[in-house]
Amino acid sequence: MKLVKAGSNWVAGDRFFNRDAEIEALMERVQDGRHTLLTAQRRMGKTSLVRELLRRLDEEGSFETIFVDLEGAFSPADAIAEIGIQTRSMQKTWSRIMSGFGNVVHELRDSVDTVGIADLWVKLRAGIDAGNWRQKGDEVLTALAENERPVVLAIDELPILVNRLLKGDDYRITVERRRTVDELLSWLRKNGQVHQGRICMILSGSVSLEPILRQAGLSAQANIFSPFELKPWDERTAVACLAALAENYDLTLPPEVCRNMCQRLRCHVPHHVQQFFDSLHEHLRRTGRRRASLEDVEKVYNEEMLGVRGQVDLEHYDSGLKMILGREGYRTALEVLKLAAIEDGVLRGDCIGRFREHFPAADEGDPIPIEDVLHVLEHDGYLARQGDRYRFVSGLLEGWWRTRYGGGRASSPSISAGSAHKAEQWP
Ligand SMILES: Nc1ncnc2c1ncn2[C@@H]1O[C@H](COP(=O)(O)OP(=O)(O)OP(=O)(O)O)[C@@H](O)[C@H]1O
Ligand SMILES: [Mg+2]
């Protein structure tokens, strides 16, 4: 099998590899009309999985599909406008939705071909405000539910909107902000229930919804969505992906080379597998060769994957943490990761105790207790719990943090939390 390299954006069709079992499971949920919350750590291929699912559903023809990205939404009204605008290819539904927009209706109905999407969005958005978004939202979803074929509504990056609404720019959860989130989720939940069987929702996001709702005490609001965890590829699949990429670019990657690549990554996040292949391919091109050796893998891993390229990727992980944890919680997370990195990838139970002393939960300077920080780090796939300790899941992430903050490997595994504390200047 041949596979075309991915950029860093989502993939579908001939760039989409494997995930047959996941597609089958999601197809079954769609057939059964079950709403899904897709969860996974960053870059695992959530958006790609949903896009590919919708592509196959479109091909098959029993469902109408809509993909909505809420990354740019700042309010419930923005979200409704975004869902509304994505219905524009469904002629009847679009007309019905627009007829709810009073005097702009003719303009909107006629302008779909002539006005750019951005202009159309602005016009649509002008008819929705903080007072009527629920009513307008109900109209949009009712119109969708009345479509001839049932609709699969995929909403990506809802957690980013929820997080924004909940914490604002100062990362403080206020009563007012919590109420807004509660209203948005109640609205979604109500519509999910009312239109069960006509609209099947799939939620996903680059940051996880569950820890955010937990911070706000609103976890129950998501319980109409059955969680579906997208796991990393196993080693056999990652090796098969490398082989398919190699075949397409006429490269020879001997089995021990593929295995070595996978062992270094330890956790086979599809994006990391793709990045590793691309870096190796570029390296071979530069040196005018087509066959990779173990030495090539070592060089590319240390210089590219852990080097500039890796640090660029690490920024994405960083930004997700900052967004969820806020300034103070992020600072704690950095210390946790830094300490685990220099301690051979392990955060020991006694170190967690020290964090508790340094960052007490109720301290007004730090609204995020260490338990919540660890929960986010665990949920987002950085660390896995093992008894009373935590360990880095991915060899690559461990390497990144060690390179960036650890200043090289810890000279001895017996280095104490106390000495790390001094060396790294904990606050
Ligand atoms: N099934 C797949 N086949 C091949 N490559 C994949 C697959 N899934 C993901 N990838 C690789 O991972 C990259 C990221 O994919 P995608 O954007 O779907 O992940 P994501 O989990 O939505 O990321 P984020 O957490 O940033 O939202 C893609 O550019 C591609 O390189
Ligand atoms: Mg995504």
Side-chain angles (χ1 to χ4, degrees), residues 25 30 32 50 59 61 86 89 112 126 138 141 158 160 173 188 192 225 260 266 284 361 375 403 425:
V30 167
D32 296 348
V50 173
E59 249 176 29
Q86 296 306 333
S89 58
V112 68
D138 286 348
L141 291 203
L158 177 75
I160 290 189
I173 300 175
L188 202 59
F225 298 94
N260 188 276
R266 203 158 70 212
L284 291 176
H375 184 75
T403 306
Q425 293 189 323

Side-chain angles (χ1 to χ4, degrees), residues 22 25-39 49-50 53 152-156 158 188 192 196 199-205 209 222-230:
E22 288 86 351
L26 290 177
M27 285 277 192
E28 194 179 285
R29 283 170 176 237
V30 167
Q31 300 287 352
D32 296 348
R34 275 165 78 194
H35 305 300
T36 292
L37 173 64
L38 183 60
T39 65
L49 182 66
V50 173
L53 174 76
V152 178
L153 173 61
I155 306 182
D156 204 8
L158 177 75
L188 202 59
Q196 183 110 36
I199 300 178
C200 177
M201 296 192 215
I202 303 175
L203 303 185
S204 54
L209 186 61
N223 63 12
I224 65 155
F225 298 94
S226 326
F228 183 89
E229 193 192 343
L230 182 60

